Amino acid sequence: MRHLYSCPLRWSDMDAFGHVNNVVFIRYLEEARIDFMWRLAPGEGSASFSGGSVVARHEIDYVRPLVHRHAPVTVESWVTKIGAASMTIAYEIKDEDTVYVRASTVVVPYDFAQQRPRRITAEEKSFLREYLDDGAGNDAKQQEGAVAA
């Protein structure tokens, strides 16, 4: 499964050439990632992901320039790796016809009271597995079947 987030383009996002500034794409990724991670907690009484997280790494490939327009772009995201204390989220920033950016982020759940990383809980892993796609055609259902075998 993939998470979709609609991101409006703002004039302030543009550089001198009328393209979305490269730094702004990181903000788009952040907005989509926060929207994705908070889907587990609201209304369920879950404390998952609410303690905070930190970004350990960003990797971004700028595929095509994105110029200002009134239509928003879509940030599609999914999980490519779940570790004991980190996860990797992949993204494409695109519209129906064009991919503008491909990116990934390594996210570490963080206990700010203790000032250290923490392990991913069983509840969080269960949520993340619903969005797992490792790029080799292995989605969450295939992963679960492999574990059960």
Side-chain angles (χ1 to χ4, degrees):
M1 179 175 2
R2 304 260 172 127
H3 173 260
L4 301 177
Y5 178 78
S6 180
C7 194
L9 302 180
R10 304 164 192 92
W11 278 110
S12 60
D13 295 347
M14 302 302 135
D15 63 17
F17 301 106
H19 303 120
V20 172
N21 186 282
N22 64 321
V23 173
V24 172
F25 281 109
I26 294 174
R27 189 181 75 231
Y28 294 169
L29 300 178
E30 177 184 42
E31 289 174 12
R33 186 174 59 256
I34 289 169
D35 185 70
F36 166 68
M37 292 176 74
W38 280 95
R39 288 186 178 267
L40 176 60
E44 304 290 324
S46 172
S48 291
F49 298 124
S50 62
S53 61
V54 294
V55 170
R57 176 185 169 93
H58 280 303
E59 188 172 315
I60 301 174
D61 292 322
Y62 300 96
V63 180
R64 294 204 176 357
L66 177 58
V67 297
H68 188 270
R69 65 194 191 182
H70 295 290
V73 289
T74 298
V75 182
E76 186 174 343
S77 54
W78 62 96
V79 176
T80 58
K81 183 178 179 186
I82 305 169
S86 70
M87 68 203 87
T88 303
I89 301 173
Y91 319 81
E92 285 187 343
I93 298 177
K94 61 187 189 176
D95 56 28
E96 292 179 16
D97 303 319
T98 307
V99 173
Y100 300 99
V101 166
R102 288 190 179 95
S104 66
T105 303
V106 176
V107 179
V108 177
Y110 200 79
D111 183 333
F112 285 99
Q114 299 286 325
Q115 290 294 303
R116 63 184 175 93
R118 66 167 179 81
R119 291 196 164 297
I120 297 173
T121 68
E123 180 185 28
E124 291 165 341
K125 281 184 183 178
S126 177
F127 171 77
L128 294 169
R129 281 188 191 113
E130 293 180 36
Y131 295 90
L132 184 63
D133 182 346
D134 67 6
N138 296 325
D139 63 13
K141 289 183 180 21
Q142 290 171 327
Q143 289 286 335
E144 288 173 13
V147 172

